[in-house]
Amino acid sequence: MVEIDNRKATLIAELEVSRSEIRNAFRSCEYQLDLAARVRQSVRDNPVTWLSGAALGGWLLSKILALRLGHPAQSVVQSSVNGNSSTSPTQQAGLFSKLFKVGFELAKPALLEWITSRVTSLVTAQSSGVNKTKI
């Protein structure tokens, strides 16, 4: 009977070790598949690299678009100098709304982190204030 209990305890211990290994492997897989979290962490770790890469990518994109569209930046500058603007106010508003959306999407993680820190500090300040009034 003691031998069966020892064998049962050994099997239970082996099962627990296997379960913890499976949990760790699952967490590792989740982290590897969560591309957004990995990119956010990389941006936090290396902001200068990401900002310079974004600037370089934007510059290259503008050059590619200028070549494909026949130098639209020069025609906009010339039309504004001549006084005849080829873009209507609704087109400009659409462009600004798209730029705002892109800017907001890029700033969203920083804004959420800032809001979270502010709310946390307010809650801790209020909870410490409540504790002072009770004492």
Side-chain angles (χ1 to χ4, degrees):
M1 190 73 171
V2 173
E3 184 180 316
I4 293 174
D5 287 341
N6 287 339
R7 188 172 165 208
K8 186 176 180 181
T10 305
L11 286 174
I12 289 173
E14 287 178 11
L15 281 173
E16 192 59 38
V17 168
S18 297
R19 286 178 183 158
S20 67
E21 288 175 357
I22 289 173
R23 271 188 242 118
N24 290 338
F26 184 71
R27 287 184 190 131
S28 175
C29 285
E30 278 183 332
Y31 177 74
Q32 293 294 328
L33 292 175
D34 192 5
L35 183 64
R38 289 175 49 202
V39 168
R40 266 187 247 118
Q41 186 62 39
S42 177
V43 169
R44 285 185 190 122
D45 292 343
N46 308 310
V48 174
T49 305
W50 279 92
L51 288 174
S52 60
L56 180 64
W59 181 76
L60 286 174
L61 185 62
S62 70
K63 293 300 177 185
I64 291 170
L65 288 176
L67 288 174
R68 286 186 142 208
L69 299 176
H71 303 290
Q74 292 176 354
S75 64
V76 169
V77 170
Q78 288 173 355
S79 66
S80 64
V81 168
N82 295 337
N84 55 356
S85 177
S86 62
T87 58
S88 69
T90 56
Q91 290 174 336
Q92 290 176 348
L95 176 66
F96 287 127
S97 68
K98 289 178 184 177
L99 288 175
F100 179 76
K101 286 179 185 178
V102 169
F104 181 72
E105 287 297 320
L106 291 174
K108 192 187 306 185
L111 286 172
L112 288 175
E113 188 174 330
W114 179 76
I115 289 170
T116 303
S117 67
R118 295 288 296 168
V119 169
T120 304
S121 66
L122 287 173
V123 168
T124 55
Q126 286 181 354
S127 65
S128 65
V130 169
N131 291 338
K132 289 179 183 176
T133 57
K134 288 184 179 180
I135 295 176

